[in-house]
Amino acid sequence: MEVVDSDWAIIGLHTGADIHDTVIAGRSVFPEEQSPKGRQERWEQLLAQGKTWEQLSEIWNKNEVFVEDAMQEAASVLGIEPKYMISEYDDFNSEANTNSDILPLFYKKNITVLKNSEKKLTLNAAFKQVFGEALEPLGFVKMKGNNKYLLRLINNEILQIIALENEQDDNSGYKAFSIYAGIATIYRPNIDIKKYASYNKNWLKNLSSYYSDLFPEKHGDETFKKLSSISYEQNNTEDIFKKATYALSMTQSLVMPLFEEVTDLKSCLMFLRKFRGWLSIDDENDIFGRDNFNNHYNEGMLYIKTNYQGDFMELVESRTKYERVAQILKSRGKNMYTESYDDYYNRKSKCALERKKQLELIFNNPEKYEAAMAEIEYRKNLNNAILHDLKII
């Protein structure tokens, strides 16, 4: 089974190398005639006792928000434990360490036995162990499913996320990973955390980005490079555990103090403005940025929700800081600051003035304010439904 997008999957029925049938479950991008829903004679022999083909077919044809929900429902019809229906190999192998009912099977040539006869530690298992033990006492929970997210919900409005993402490593015998972190609220267009972390990198930031934001003069140094992609030796339990522990320590140093400051929507707004810049309030189509769900700036409805009356110029850096950081980076061959401070200040000032005018227009126009509040309620209901489906609330 391959989950292609959040609401559809391709399922292949095999005997050995031969494909007996293909099913596209859910609402795919293909026309109906190109979305096979399975042949009754192929599946009836696999049904659990008392279950019917019609029940299975109905599930294949459902338009669930997340197709994994349909897969778990189909599991009972096929006599499969629901949690195993959507498990990856690493999930099976990790659980086998504590559940004697699960027995991973290998071809003999692929068996890896450590010198101390312990089972091989996977990166996913290390993430669950190292990060889980440290963050679960602080209120984080692991999201169910294949994506490696640890989530903490604040006041049923603010979602704090720590996520693991696999990366490429060009060195033979090595793999790599990175840690992403970020905050979303139920007032953004949608919270799409059924997809992998890098898909949401517009609003989930790599640890290296936080390092650069907090210490701009260190952008591009060795720690920055290491945090961008943390390399580890394959099949080396000690190295995997060591690198996961290092990633946790940097997360605790860079991200967790910021997360702890976010206790309500106003402090959340300040966090998003500081680490994601300008937030979109409105656009020329009067749909409040809903046309691009995944962009970081789509948290601008918080300005209205919190009745924001602050100064949009407060994020503009001082000339001293700007020129000091620019000089340091230039000495390292980095040309991030290519414009003069005056040009930078004028550009930022223009953006600040535009945001201020947009917000004043909404607050001073009853019709637009009513539309904005309706949009806030719509987003709240949509995201609450998603979080409920994920059993987060």
Side-chain angles (χ1 to χ4, degrees), residues 127-284:
F127 176 73
K128 294 174 186 177
Q129 178 182 340
V130 174
F131 278 76
E133 288 181 0
L135 299 183
E136 285 175 4
L138 302 179
F140 284 83
V141 296
K142 181 185 179 298
M143 190 182 83
K144 294 183 178 180
N146 295 328
N147 291 326
K148 287 72 185 176
Y149 287 96
L150 284 168
L151 313 169
R152 181 166 68 176
L153 189 61
I154 308 295
N155 300 332
N156 287 328
E157 292 180 304
I158 303 164
L159 197 63
Q160 299 180 346
I161 300 172
I162 307 291
L164 171 72
E165 180 73 5
N166 292 316
E167 305 285 358
Q168 296 294 323
D169 194 299
D170 295 333
N171 296 318
S172 177
Y174 283 80
K175 289 187 176 181
F177 69 94
S178 57
I179 299 298
Y180 283 82
I183 292 179
T185 75
I186 60 173
Y187 305 108
R188 65 176 292 111
N190 77 337
I191 300 175
D192 196 353
I193 53 175
K194 290 292 285 188
K195 291 188 171 65
Y196 43 88
S198 59
Y199 173 85
N200 289 313
K201 65 182 179 182
N202 278 324
W203 56 275
L204 286 178
K205 292 163 64 79
N206 191 301
L207 286 183
S208 60
S209 295
Y210 285 101
Y211 179 78
S212 182
D213 287 338
L214 293 169
F215 311 105
E217 69 278 7
K218 296 182 179 182
H219 177 88
D221 69 7
E222 288 305 311
T223 300
F224 175 88
K225 295 175 182 177
K226 188 173 182 180
L227 290 175
S228 298
S229 182
I230 302 173
S231 179
Y232 65 94
E233 186 178 354
Q234 289 181 252
N235 304 323
N236 185 328
T237 293
E238 184 178 350
D239 194 44
I240 293 173
F241 191 82
K242 177 182 177 181
K243 297 303 172 56
T245 302
Y246 168 74
L248 172 65
S249 68
M250 296 305 293
T251 302
Q252 291 172 319
S253 173
L254 298 172
V255 176
M256 290 309 300
L258 304 175
F259 277 12
E260 294 299 336
E261 293 177 357
V262 178
T263 58
D264 54 24
L265 289 180
K266 288 187 177 180
S267 56
C268 180
L269 176 59
M270 293 301 100
F271 170 90
L272 293 170
R273 287 191 58 197
K274 182 176 181 179
F275 293 100
R276 279 310 188 190
W278 305 111
L279 304 178
S280 177
I281 301 172
D282 204 349
D283 55 39
E284 59 185 9

